[in-house]
Amino acid sequence: MKIRTLIFPMLVFVCAIGMAFTTTDLKEDPKEQANDYILVNGSWKAISEQEDCFGTGTDCRVQLGTNGPVYDLYDEMGDEEPKQSGTDEPIIINP
């Protein structure tokens, strides 16, 4: 009986230490960080991250090509509010 009361807590302690080394890397996936999104005809389309969108005051917008359509830019799919920008001019990107 004494062996069971001595070995069982030690075994639990050793297992807990072993499990501490099995955790995964908790950093965010860089693929998820490298995209912004536009809403095209009701469906989300991923585009590359736009670093030129900074500031506040107006919604950040992108234009697909020189004469293409203009879309609001979102940080994640499903966002209700577009990213903010300090300018009214859309960022021209090549599709």
Side-chain angles (χ1 to χ4, degrees):
M1 189 69 161
K2 287 186 177 191
I3 292 176
R4 190 180 302 173
T5 58
L6 180 65
I7 293 196
F8 186 69
M10 290 173 61
L11 183 61
V12 170
F13 183 71
V14 168
C15 288
I17 291 174
M19 292 300 288
F21 294 103
T22 62
T23 58
T24 59
D25 190 11
L26 300 177
K27 293 180 183 175
E28 291 184 30
D29 188 4
K31 293 180 212 170
E32 291 180 14
Q33 294 178 356
N35 288 332
D36 280 333
Y37 298 91
I38 56 175
L39 191 58
V40 180
N41 297 327
S43 59
W44 294 100
K45 179 180 178 183
I47 61 171
S48 61
E49 181 81 25
Q50 300 300 310
E51 300 295 330
D52 295 336
C53 258
F54 57 88
T56 58
T58 60
D59 294 341
C60 188
R61 299 177 304 148
V62 294
Q63 184 174 7
L64 300 179
T66 307
N67 297 320
V70 177
Y71 298 103
D72 287 336
L73 186 68
Y74 297 89
D75 203 22
E76 295 180 11
M77 282 192 285
D79 277 353
E80 295 180 9
E81 295 292 323
K83 290 177 85 170
Q84 293 294 301
S85 177
T87 180
D88 289 331
E89 294 296 318
I91 300 168
I92 297 173
I93 59 173
N94 294 321

